[in-house]
Amino acid sequence: IQVGEHPDATVVPPAAVLHNDVTGEQKVALAVDGHARWVTVHLGVRKSDAVEILSPRIPDGQPVIIDGQVGLPEDAPVEAAK
């Protein structure tokens, strides 16, 4: 049963989303110009292989960090895995 469709939705792997159990915030770490940038996000549809980001808008192709985010400070240097 299909209940809705979001053709322009921004989706990220579930591993990209961190949930703060104390505040309830959901955050995603972006890799911007070689540095980590944390963004608080509002989630939509969740599937086993993808999570919809309702806001803020994350540009298509924007790298997200999917491993090692716990304890990663804002502006920490990061590089893409090869």
Side-chain angles (χ1 to χ4, degrees):
I1 297 174
Q2 184 172 347
V3 294
E5 197 170 306
H6 302 147
D8 296 325
T10 299
V11 295
V12 297
V17 180
L18 287 187
H19 176 78
N20 184 318
D21 292 332
V22 175
T23 66
E25 289 182 319
Q26 315 275 351
K27 292 195 172 208
V28 171
L30 308 176
V32 179
D33 297 326
H35 292 87
R37 300 282 185 246
W38 283 100
V39 178
T40 299
V41 295
H42 299 281
L43 304 180
V45 176
R46 300 170 203 202
K47 296 174 33 178
S48 62
D49 63 343
V51 177
E52 179 183 24
I53 305 295
L54 296 176
S55 66
R57 171 95 173 92
I58 295 175
D60 291 342
Q62 171 65 58
V64 296
I65 299 171
I66 60 170
D67 188 34
Q69 308 98 305
V70 175
L72 182 67
E74 177 76 15
D75 207 33
V78 295
E79 62 181 60
K82 299 188 190 257

